[in-house]
């Protein structure tokens, strides 16, 4: 139910011919911090502005550089959704040990500091007896010994819902 996205970028390395120094400091991408480098994919709207299509972070272990003259540098950025698995599920729920689908997903989203927004069109309007689907509550004990990624995936699966990129820098549920 969770569809992750990534963006692979390949640059041709260049050297400044005037002083023999390399343009860019590619080694800066060798970092253990998954939030150090943010990537924004923009599209010109054809008139006077840029539209943000996708945002993500450079994945530290995905950087590669060909060391030959004018070799290529490959950098992969991801939407950071997979980073949810790095956090153990720690929600306690309300006084009855319950949490809504909306609270569950938004708490997980806040943990990963995703640069994309969440968009809930179907679940926002789907309701039964006056209760919206994303406000329905589930017992947090159902997610015992899971990480946040597993908890969100299990919850979405139980609703028959999917989280996927919609092309406008949003994750659609």
């Amino acid at each position: 139910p969770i569809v992750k996205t990534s963006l692979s970028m390949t640059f041709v390395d260049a050297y400044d011919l005037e002083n023999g120094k390399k343009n860019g400091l590619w080694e800066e991408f060798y970092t253990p911090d998954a939030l150090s480098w943010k990537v924004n994919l923009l599209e010109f709207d054809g008139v006077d502005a840029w539209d943000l299509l996708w945002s993500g972070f450079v994945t530290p272990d995905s950087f590669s550089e060909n060391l030959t003259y004018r070799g290529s540098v490959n950098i992969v950025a991801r939407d950071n959704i997979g980073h949810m698995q790095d956090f153990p599920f720690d929600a306690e729920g309300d006084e009855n040990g319950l949490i809504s689908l909306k609270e569950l997903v938004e708490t997980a989203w806040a943990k990963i500091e995703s640069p994309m927004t969440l968009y809930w069109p179907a679940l926002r309007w789907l309701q039964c007896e006056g209760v919206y689907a994303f406000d329905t509550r589930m017992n947090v004990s159902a997610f015992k010994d899971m990480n946040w990624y597993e908890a969100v995936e299990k919850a979405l699966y139980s609703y028959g819902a999917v989280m996927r990129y919609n092309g406008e820098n949003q994750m659609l549920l």
Side-chain angles (χ1 to χ4, degrees), residues 34 40-41 65 81 91 103 114 116 124 127 132 134 155 157:
N40 288 329
L41 179 62
E65 180 178 10
I81 291 174
E103 290 170 319
S114 178
M116 286 194 268
R124 178 180 294 144
Q127 60 178 313
Y132 293 100
F134 63 60
Y157 183 79

Side-chain angles (χ1 to χ4, degrees), residues 1-5 162-167 170-173:
I2 300 175
V3 181
K4 298 183 256 180
T5 61
V162 175
M163 177 188 289
R164 65 175 175 80
Y165 171 66
N166 79 346
Q170 297 174 332
M171 292 304 288
L172 176 76
L173 282 99

